[in-house]
């Protein structure tokens, strides 16, 4: 489980493969639900990469 503001390593990302290998911060304050299809919102990845949606197995605690 992740918390808002937590820094994570994006291992892979179906939403935007360019985000793989980069770090970002979790935006969600509650666990993801049906609206995001169970994916976490990750922001602050790069100037050129918008926030992405990643599944739990695509993220690693940093």
């Amino acid at each position: 489980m992740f918390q808002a503001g937590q820094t994570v390593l994006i291992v892979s990302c179906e939403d935007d493969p360019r985000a793989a290998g980069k770090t970002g911060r979790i935006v969600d304050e509650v666990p993801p639900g049906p609206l995001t299809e169970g994916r976490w919102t990750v922001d602050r990845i790069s100037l050129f990469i918008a926030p992405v949606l990643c599944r739990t197995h695509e993220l690693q605690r940093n």
Side-chain angles (χ1 to χ4, degrees), residues 7-32:
T7 302
V8 293
L9 171 65
I10 302 168
V11 177
S12 63
C13 183
E14 186 179 325
D15 191 39
D16 188 343
R18 298 177 302 155
K22 299 190 181 333
T23 58
R25 291 190 184 227
I26 298 292
V27 174
D28 307 300
E29 296 197 14
V30 296

Side-chain angles (χ1 to χ4, degrees), residues 34-53:
L35 183 63
T36 62
E37 299 175 355
R39 298 176 294 176
W40 295 92
T41 306
V42 184
D43 195 6
R44 297 187 186 173
I45 301 164
S46 165
L47 181 62
F48 302 106
I49 300 175
V52 295
L53 295 172

Side-chain angles (χ1 to χ4, degrees), residues 1-4 6 8 26 30-32 40 56 61:
M1 197 65 88
F2 299 105
Q3 296 179 346
Q6 183 177 10
V8 293
I26 298 292
V30 296
W40 295 92
T56 302
R61 294 177 200 273

